[in-house]
Amino acid sequence: IISIILLLTHGARASPSAAPACNSVVNELNPCVPYLVKNEAKPSDSCCAGVKSPMPYQNNKAARQSICECLEAVAPMYPRIDNSLISGLD
């Protein structure tokens, strides 16, 4: 989650006006769960694509906050995630 937040704070793309729905963010990142709970040795291509999906919102502070709040809200649903693996998702 932290690396996703960091990804949102870098770059220079135009920012969409509204944040994506929380369920959309979760759906984009769900392919990463098998890797993050150590069921897969490396992240899938769909995981890598999902990690990049919030990038268009990186210059929109309200959207970034909304995405972060979403991730914080759903994080307890994934207690087995090895947070040390998150930094490798970029």
Side-chain angles (χ1 to χ4, degrees):
I1 295 174
I2 293 171
S3 67
I4 295 167
I5 294 168
L6 291 173
L7 287 172
L8 291 171
T9 61
H10 293 37
R13 294 186 191 178
S15 60
S17 59
C22 186
N23 64 341
S24 295
V25 173
V26 172
N27 286 338
E28 291 287 338
L29 298 176
N30 264 338
C32 299
V33 172
Y35 169 71
L36 295 173
V37 298
K38 297 183 177 181
N39 286 343
E40 292 181 358
K42 65 179 191 165
S44 65
D45 290 341
S46 57
C47 168
C48 295
V51 169
K52 293 175 183 167
S53 68
M55 294 296 285
Y57 302 94
Q58 62 196 356
N59 293 327
N60 182 326
K61 183 178 179 179
R64 288 193 325 265
Q65 284 180 301
S66 179
I67 293 168
C68 290
E69 289 168 2
C70 166
L71 295 173
E72 288 173 349
V74 300
M77 291 188 246
Y78 301 93
R80 294 182 29 225
I81 286 180
D82 181 345
N83 291 323
S84 69
L85 296 174
I86 293 173
S87 63
L89 298 176
D90 57 354

